[in-house]
Amino acid sequence: MAPEPSTTSSSTNKNKKKTKPPPLQPPIDPFSKLALSPIYGSIPAAKWHSKLLMFACFTGWSVNLALHQVLPFKPERLLPVLAAYVPVAQFLLGKVVLAGAYALLAPSRLLVWTLPALMHTAVLNTHVATPMGLARLNSGLEEVGYVVLERAESVTGYISVIDSTKEGYRVMRCDHSLLGGEWVKFLGQGPFKGNQVAEPIYGVFAMLEAVRLVIMPKPVPDNEAKALVIGLGIGTTPAALVAHGIDTTVVELDPVVHKLASKYFQLPSNHTAVIEDAVTYTSRLAANESEARYDYIIHDVFTGGAEPIPLFTLDFLQNLHTLLKQDGVIAINYAGDFAFPPPRIVVNTIKTVFPTCRIFREHPRDDADFTKTGRDFTNMVIFCTKQTGGRISFREPSERDLLNSPSRRAFLLPQHEVTDADFVEGKLGEGILRANQTERLAKWHAMSAAGHWGVMRTVLPEVVWEGW
């Protein structure tokens, strides 16, 4: 998944934002887990977290009994001092508010020992979300040719926008994963001057746009078509759909992702933005026959080595089936390791809902690496229709389809087809995924996320991942 060289519309600006429901994961994790997730990913960071936290609590309780015997003052007076050093500890492995609360509850002369920690947090700690912290972080990243433009903690994790000043591309990061990226060095330059879309650094995002190339009995003109995009990323696919004149609605859980995609990437304003959990939103639309139905649906929600499982269940896909017009096309992006059961389970579930499908992967399998490591991690796109019988075919893209984009010229038309023989065999990959059986995928997340972590470490240097 290393970066590869790979809008305007007549519709009015319809950005709308809705109050977000509770996210799929708790928005507040223990501070220690929040500090580890950007470096290791949320799933690897959580694997032993609860056990270590219980051990730490037991150790603290045990030490407290001993401190009562040896200290000339009450041990609780140490709490604000220890809390003040929490950001320092996390910086080396932040939360100053915790120290302030303890200081109010346990004031004493010992608070003078918090000053070194507070000075470190204010001046040296690059993880603190202040202009000084960001400037210090970038002074260290400058040596390896990177700069963080903006960063924030949000409902899906730590989000940041990073520029590679040497290579000339920009990415959006979520914890230890990338939501997408584009080549900024080409913007407005030479033959790219006046382009409606940017050049994506990943070919799979261009492949998703091939929903327009699927040959259907009753093709719909772009200016009459409606598209639903589940998952925004940096907005590569929505930007292309809007550039073709398609009325496009984007459903994104994280408001910060939408904000930064609009601010730093080539996401046009003339789209409908729904900031809401996709499960809730699609259930509501599917239940109301008067709501919109779509000619194209793009499903692209992978991040961090794992998928949000509720968005791949039979129940969710049935709602998408209801929202797709009879002559519509859906494209589902799934990133996973073909050596494990989840890809087969997901594909089984999709084919249960949509009768006609074809699957393509971003790159052909590296047989030598697969033989050596036993891993086959890749992006695949499943194209499906509601038509029964026949086979999905793609028309040849025209120059207008390519949007003057070399990446789309190389990757828009799907090439590397996936067959049943590419999936893992055995009972573990049998059956489909229902809403009450999400553990079937969840138990494989640790291995998949660990593999994804290794892939991500080849995309950006360690110092960039560890500098957040």
Side-chain angles (χ1 to χ4, degrees), residues 244-301:
H244 288 298
I246 298 173
D247 183 359
T248 303
T249 297
V250 179
V251 184
E252 170 57 48
L253 174 65
D254 197 324
V256 171
V257 169
H258 184 268
K259 172 191 170 185
L260 297 185
S262 301
K263 183 176 180 180
Y264 291 101
F265 298 89
Q266 302 302 301
L267 176 66
S269 61
N270 49 338
H271 66 278
T272 300
V274 180
I275 308 302
E276 188 176 352
D277 168 22
V279 173
T280 304
Y281 179 73
T282 56
S283 296
R284 186 170 66 249
L285 260 62
N288 189 343
E289 294 183 0
S290 64
E291 291 284 0
R293 297 298 184 257
Y294 299 92
D295 301 282
Y296 306 117
I297 295 179
I298 311 292
H299 180 303
D300 184 16
V301 294

Side-chain angles (χ1 to χ4, degrees), residues 246-411:
I246 298 173
D247 183 359
T248 303
T249 297
V250 179
V251 184
E252 170 57 48
L253 174 65
D254 197 324
V256 171
V257 169
H258 184 268
K259 172 191 170 185
L260 297 185
S262 301
K263 183 176 180 180
Y264 291 101
F265 298 89
Q266 302 302 301
L267 176 66
S269 61
N270 49 338
H271 66 278
T272 300
V274 180
I275 308 302
E276 188 176 352
D277 168 22
V279 173
T280 304
Y281 179 73
T282 56
S283 296
R284 186 170 66 249
L285 260 62
N288 189 343
E289 294 183 0
S290 64
E291 291 284 0
R293 297 298 184 257
Y294 299 92
D295 301 282
Y296 306 117
I297 295 179
I298 311 292
H299 180 303
D300 184 16
V301 294
F302 174 85
T303 183
E307 64 287 321
I309 300 176
L311 272 61
F312 289 91
T313 62
L314 179 69
D315 315 66
F316 182 75
L317 293 170
Q318 286 173 332
N319 284 335
L320 295 189
H321 184 276
T322 300
L323 296 178
L324 187 67
K325 293 182 180 179
Q326 187 59 37
D327 290 323
V329 183
I330 184 171
I332 302 173
N333 181 31
Y334 183 85
D337 195 325
F338 277 66
F340 298 141
R344 177 177 283 278
I345 295 172
V346 168
V347 169
N348 289 345
T349 309
I350 293 170
K351 288 185 174 181
T352 299
V353 178
F354 297 97
T356 303
C357 299
R358 286 181 73 183
I359 308 169
F360 296 86
R361 55 189 292 160
E362 186 175 12
H363 302 290
R365 187 171 76 179
D366 186 334
D367 290 324
D369 184 69
F370 180 68
T371 301
K372 178 181 178 181
T373 66
R375 295 291 182 89
D376 184 20
F377 193 96
T378 189
N379 281 284
M380 64 176 172
V381 178
I382 305 101
F383 294 92
C384 300
T385 71
K386 298 171 76 169
Q387 306 292 318
T388 56
R391 174 181 168 87
I392 289 178
S393 299
F394 301 87
R395 62 175 174 82
E396 285 294 323
S398 66
E399 287 300 317
R400 175 57 186 159
D401 294 323
L402 299 176
L403 298 171
N404 192 38
S405 165
S407 298
R408 289 167 177 83
R409 190 175 298 278
F411 296 106

